[in-house]
Amino acid sequence: MGKKLIDLADERYGRLTVIKEAERKGYTRRWVCQCDCDNIVTVAMSNLRTGHTTSCGCVQSEMASATNYKDLSGQVFGKLTVIERSQKKAKDRKVKWICKCECGEQAVVSSQHLQDGSTTSCGCNLSTATEVARRKLTEEYTVDGVVIPKLTQKLRSDSQTGHKGVHEVRNKNGTVSYMARIGVGGRSYYLGRFAKKEDAIAARKRGEEKYHKPILDNTPPAD
């Protein structure tokens, strides 16, 4: 005679009331349960009987909310003034706040990021700092309208040829040729099209000698 299976229907575990047995997952018996908050969840039998799972997750949410909640309405953090609590649910269960920035934009920020100082604007602080740094770099390293770092920047990772300014071109007959170009001060110069990559690279080097070297030689040394 086979062993009688345990029936958990109508039993209660914490906030969960067992409704019926669900389809097994492998050898694991699972049960459909209704939480006191009306959510329906499927829970492994072992988790119910050991007390590991006692709600649909609402208990943890409430505990997290109680721990994280501190009314920040009206408080100022950097450029941000807290308007009201956001109803947007966060994956990390952190309370989020709708804030108005001095620049006029709104941002939704967690209480943690407001209180630890990691977020002090809608993002305009970062944008402003980036723009200032870009302008400073441009002003300090520009010669005759040419931005020097652009002349010496590294080869792009998606280069087809492994050499700056040399590009593969597929011809109508299916063969491949190589085109060499060089850019200076916003202008692009065509240096030729070649059957061999080596010839295109040589043309590019001649272009660098002609267009880049005079500018680089006159660049004042950096501090």
Side-chain angles (χ1 to χ4, degrees):
M1 186 174 178
K3 186 177 180 181
K4 187 177 180 180
L5 294 176
I6 297 173
D7 186 2
L8 301 185
D10 297 325
E11 290 195 20
R12 187 172 176 84
Y13 297 88
R15 295 188 180 186
L16 296 174
T17 299
V18 181
I19 300 173
K20 63 180 180 179
E21 186 167 5
E23 183 180 350
R24 293 194 184 196
K25 190 172 184 179
Y27 293 102
T28 302
R29 294 184 68 189
R30 304 185 306 154
W31 296 83
V32 177
C33 306
Q34 182 171 20
C35 187
D36 287 349
C37 70
D38 290 332
N39 279 338
I40 302 295
V41 290
T42 301
V43 186
M45 182 172 177
S46 58
N47 287 343
L48 288 171
R49 301 190 74 195
T50 59
H52 180 274
T53 303
T54 58
S55 76
C56 65
C58 58
V59 171
Q60 292 89 334
S61 297
E62 290 169 8
M63 291 175 61
S65 181
T67 301
N68 296 319
Y69 184 79
K70 177 182 177 183
D71 192 0
L72 302 181
S73 300
Q75 294 193 38
V76 178
F77 299 87
K79 290 186 176 182
L80 297 174
T81 299
V82 181
I83 301 173
E84 62 182 353
R85 184 176 177 179
S86 172
Q87 298 304 312
K88 197 173 183 180
K89 289 185 178 180
K91 291 181 180 179
D92 58 4
R93 299 193 179 96
K94 298 293 184 184
V95 173
K96 290 183 177 290
W97 298 87
I98 299 172
C99 306
K100 185 171 183 179
C101 187
E102 288 180 2
C103 72
E105 294 292 329
Q106 283 194 353
V108 178
V109 188
S110 72
S111 55
Q112 178 182 341
H113 290 167
L114 288 170
Q115 294 181 91
D116 65 16
S118 59
T119 302
T120 57
S121 76
C122 66
C124 60
N125 275 348
L126 181 59
S127 299
T128 301
T130 301
E131 179 61 20
V132 169
R134 187 191 67 78
R135 287 182 180 177
K136 183 178 180 182
L137 180 66
T138 300
E139 291 170 0
E140 290 184 356
Y141 296 98
T142 298
V143 176
D144 295 331
V146 179
V147 182
I148 301 304
K150 288 189 176 181
L151 303 185
T152 58
Q153 65 186 8
K154 294 181 180 180
L155 176 71
R156 287 177 49 149
S157 60
D158 60 354
S159 171
Q160 296 175 314
T161 63
H163 200 282
K164 285 173 62 176
V166 178
H167 311 281
E168 283 188 7
V169 179
R170 189 160 296 278
N171 304 315
K172 291 182 179 181
N173 61 5
T175 61
V176 174
S177 57
Y178 300 88
M179 183 172 65
R181 303 188 73 91
I182 193 166
V184 186
R187 295 184 61 186
S188 179
Y189 295 90
Y190 175 71
L191 302 175
R193 187 165 173 168
F194 307 88
K196 294 181 179 180
K197 183 169 69 173
E198 294 77 10
D199 293 337
I201 292 173
R204 166 70 189 201
K205 288 182 177 178
R206 290 194 297 271
E208 290 173 359
E209 286 289 323
K210 179 179 179 180
Y211 295 104
H212 288 182
K213 192 172 185 300
I215 299 172
L216 293 173
D217 286 346
N218 292 328
T219 302
D223 293 336

